[in-house]
């Protein structure tokens, strides 16, 4: 099975996509992963820390972590003092804390545990957990089952007899297969080029 190592920018783009969908639960997870990977990439990181902090801070606020949002926004302002929103957001978070009855002296003290409640997606919890574990390749396949796995050429259409798909069965229950060499590198590059304008429009704040 192929394993892909995400760099900080990969995690950031997934987190930003979740943010645009107002899925702050996954935004926090992916932005924290981006931040962790970025620290290991320095000094030649794949993006700027300030890019991560703004999305992460607002998502923390939306999930009920107001003090954490304030601290991250102050960190953002420290490393990017010319950021167009950081200074005003600090004041905004402070005002919200004051409205909640928090004394100014306690704005940055006694930080409560992280709250990141998962939204109800209508899925059975056990099914969802199993699905995500399968995606992360965390569900082992027994030696007995592995011995039954195989590869084959898919030729059930007339045109596939000229250029059959290479199929690798990864597991049977649930069924998971991997198609090899379906597109050339040139075709992949072309699809990426055609998709980029749409991707950029989705990622605009």
């Amino acid at each position: 099975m192929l394993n892909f190592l995400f760099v900080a920018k990969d995690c950031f783009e997934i987190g930003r996509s979740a943010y645009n969908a107002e899925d702050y639960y996954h935004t926090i997870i992916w932005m924290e992963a981006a931040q962790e990977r970025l620290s290991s990439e320095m000094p030649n990181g794949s993006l700027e820390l300030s890019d991560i902090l703004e999305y992460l801070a607002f998502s923390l606020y939306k999930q009920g972590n107001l003090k954490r949002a304030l601290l991250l926004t102050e960190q953002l302002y420290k490393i990017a003092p010319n950021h167009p929103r950081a200074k005003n957001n600090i004041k905004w978070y402070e005002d919200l804390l004051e409205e909640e009855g928090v004394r100014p002296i306690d704005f940055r003290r006694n930080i409560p545990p992280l709250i990141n409640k998962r939204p109800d997606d209508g899925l059975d919890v056990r099914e969802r957990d199993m699905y995500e574990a399968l995606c992360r390749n965390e569900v082992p396949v027994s030696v007995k089952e592995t011995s039954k796995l195989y590869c084959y050429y898919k030729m059930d259409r007339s045109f596939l007899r000229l250029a059959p798909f290479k199929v690798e069965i990864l597991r049977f229950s649930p069924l998971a297969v991997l198609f090899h060499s379906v597109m050339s590198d040139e075709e992949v590059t072309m699809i990426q080029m055609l998709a980029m304008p749409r991707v950029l429009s989705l990622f605009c704040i």
Side-chain angles (χ1 to χ4, degrees), residues 20-106:
N20 289 331
E22 298 183 358
D23 179 358
Y24 302 111
Y25 169 81
H26 283 104
T27 303
I28 290 174
I29 292 174
W30 283 103
M31 288 300 175
E32 287 184 338
Q35 188 175 11
E36 180 182 349
R37 282 164 173 75
L38 183 62
S39 64
S40 65
E41 294 174 4
M42 300 306 287
N44 299 312
S46 53
L47 76 161
E48 298 294 329
L49 177 59
S50 57
D51 295 332
I52 299 172
L53 293 180
E54 182 176 16
Y55 286 96
L56 181 54
F58 187 77
S59 299
L60 286 168
Y61 154 68
K62 294 295 287 187
Q63 290 288 78
N65 304 276
L66 195 46
K67 287 186 177 182
R68 290 175 181 268
L70 172 61
L71 293 176
L72 278 189
T73 306
E74 287 183 327
Q75 183 182 352
L76 169 62
Y77 183 63
K78 183 177 180 179
I79 64 176
N82 294 322
H83 190 280
R85 290 173 294 277
K87 186 175 182 179
N88 289 336
N89 284 350
I90 290 173
K91 179 65 167 58
W92 183 50
Y93 290 139
E94 289 177 337
D95 290 344
L96 290 174
L97 284 167
E98 190 170 2
E99 289 176 8
E100 292 184 359
V102 180
R103 298 179 303 168
I105 194 174
D106 292 325

Side-chain angles (χ1 to χ4, degrees), residues 81-135:
N82 294 322
H83 190 280
R85 290 173 294 277
K87 186 175 182 179
N88 289 336
N89 284 350
I90 290 173
K91 179 65 167 58
W92 183 50
Y93 290 139
E94 289 177 337
D95 290 344
L96 290 174
L97 284 167
E98 190 170 2
E99 289 176 8
E100 292 184 359
V102 180
R103 298 179 303 168
I105 194 174
D106 292 325
F107 283 174
R108 296 157 183 84
R109 301 194 310 186
N110 303 319
I111 309 301
L114 174 67
I115 301 171
N116 195 21
K117 184 178 179 181
R118 184 168 196 153
D120 182 13
D121 52 16
L123 296 176
D124 178 80
V125 174
R126 290 173 299 178
E127 290 181 355
R128 184 186 64 204
D129 290 346
M130 176 59 72
Y131 163 77
E132 293 187 347
L134 286 168
C135 287

